[in-house]
Amino acid sequence: MKRIYDKAQNQLQNRLPFVLYHKPKSGQLVGFFQKEATLFKSHDFTQPGFVFAPFNGNDVVLIPESQSEVLMEDWVANETMADAVVPDSEHKGKEAFRAFGG
């Protein structure tokens, strides 16, 4: 899991898009790490990747699989990951999403 964590830190430092997710009842943590800072949008949901879609259906942002490095690792919850959470980051993320019209 250190590889995904290190990659996420690198993406943050370089201000590049990424997403991490864990499906229910799965032992895998998945990360989509976009290779460039381009903002991609999905209009018809036909491209493989990770989609951020607001409930109103406008401004659907896509991290395309073809433009990303996709990593999967076994999920093991530990104190290192819990300590890495920045309390203010949730509010900044919400503000950034609202700037897109979300």
Side-chain angles (χ1 to χ4, degrees), residues 6-102:
D6 290 344
K7 184 71 175 178
Q9 288 288 350
N10 187 54
Q11 293 288 109
L12 281 171
Q13 289 172 354
N14 291 306
R15 302 178 55 95
L16 293 172
F18 72 97
V19 64
L20 301 175
Y21 68 91
H22 175 264
K23 291 181 181 178
K25 299 181 183 179
S26 168
Q28 291 281 306
L29 179 65
V30 180
F32 277 70
F33 301 95
Q34 194 170 297
K35 297 174 185 174
E36 58 184 68
T38 303
L39 178 64
F40 295 97
K41 297 205 174 184
S42 177
H43 303 288
D44 56 11
F45 298 100
T46 58
Q47 295 175 287
F50 192 92
V51 174
F52 296 92
F55 291 108
N56 66 9
N58 297 328
D59 295 321
V60 177
V61 176
L62 170 71
I63 296 181
E65 186 175 354
S66 64
Q67 301 294 319
S68 302
E69 179 180 357
V70 180
L71 300 178
M72 290 183 263
E73 292 188 15
D74 291 337
W75 168 251
V76 179
N78 63 37
E79 291 180 19
T80 304
M81 291 299 287
D83 292 341
V85 175
V86 179
D88 207 28
S89 65
E90 182 178 336
H91 299 293
K92 290 178 183 176
K94 287 179 182 178
E95 290 171 11
F97 182 74
R98 286 187 186 113
F100 282 123

